[in-house]
Amino acid sequence: MVLTHFHDDHAGGAAEVAAWGVPVVAHAADAPVIRGEVKGPPPNFTEQELELHRLVAAGLPPAPPVQVDQEVGDGDVLDFGGGAVVVSTPGHTDGSIAIHLPEYGVLFTGDIAAEHEGAVMLGVFNLDTETAAASFRKLAALEADVVCFGHGRPLLERGTARLRAAPLPSSGS
């Protein structure tokens, strides 16, 4: 099981699934949070994100700690999907990752990117918006027809081309 980052909505069920004997993979920077050794830093919310967070995260229980069996970093290759390439995408969290399956033209973005009602955008609830935008651009430079988001419907054709066309906040915003 690959955890793209430590947030409760992505790591919340990891302990239960790991108890079935499924190994847990996460970026080295987020692994201490996932293991419960340290508390993860909160996002730097925009005004609009504060209200959205209250709506979508109200009552979300904290993720129970879980052992991380494999810590990964940028460029590591995992043994599935024809060689799943780990792409470090800091900004959402320090240890956010995406998974690229170049053999199949598939990209899993984690929360760096999102889709809402057909629009592709930078994900919300980031630690550092500028760094997150740079990570978004890094993903957009890859080649993948299918792009799957942590939040939103997948793009089934021209996926990274759609990422390249998405508006991003300008530097300093």
Side-chain angles (χ1 to χ4, degrees):
M1 165 179 31
V2 177
L3 300 179
T4 60
H5 61 289
F6 72 78
H7 286 161
D8 296 332
D9 63 323
H10 287 258
E16 183 177 345
V17 175
W20 305 338
V22 176
V24 176
V25 177
H27 189 280
D30 276 12
V33 180
I34 293 165
R35 288 191 297 263
E37 297 167 1
V38 298
K39 186 171 171 51
N44 290 313
F45 294 110
T46 65
E47 286 299 318
Q48 296 85 357
E49 289 175 344
L50 280 172
E51 181 59 26
L52 178 61
H53 191 262
R54 278 191 285 272
L55 291 171
V56 300
L60 184 65
V66 63
Q67 179 60 42
V68 175
D69 301 295
Q70 183 179 358
E71 293 184 15
V72 295
D74 193 50
D76 288 350
V77 178
L78 302 172
D79 191 23
F80 69 87
V85 180
V86 175
V87 183
S88 183
T89 55
H92 186 65
T93 67
D94 291 334
S96 287
I97 60 172
I99 299 294
H100 185 214
L101 308 178
E103 184 175 326
Y104 298 102
V106 176
L107 175 65
F108 296 88
T109 68
D111 277 3
I112 281 296
E115 182 277 341
H116 180 69
E117 297 181 352
V120 176
M121 65 195 74
L122 181 66
V124 295
F125 310 155
N126 297 305
L127 285 177
D128 182 312
T129 301
E130 239 178 271
T131 302
S135 290
F136 185 105
R137 286 188 286 278
K138 180 179 179 180
L139 294 182
L142 299 173
E143 289 301 324
D145 282 325
V146 176
V147 174
C148 303
F149 304 101
H151 301 279
R153 293 185 309 257
L155 304 176
L156 302 178
E157 57 186 9
R158 299 182 52 249
T160 51
R162 296 264 317 270
L163 291 180
R164 287 189 287 277
L168 290 174
S170 56
S171 292
S173 357

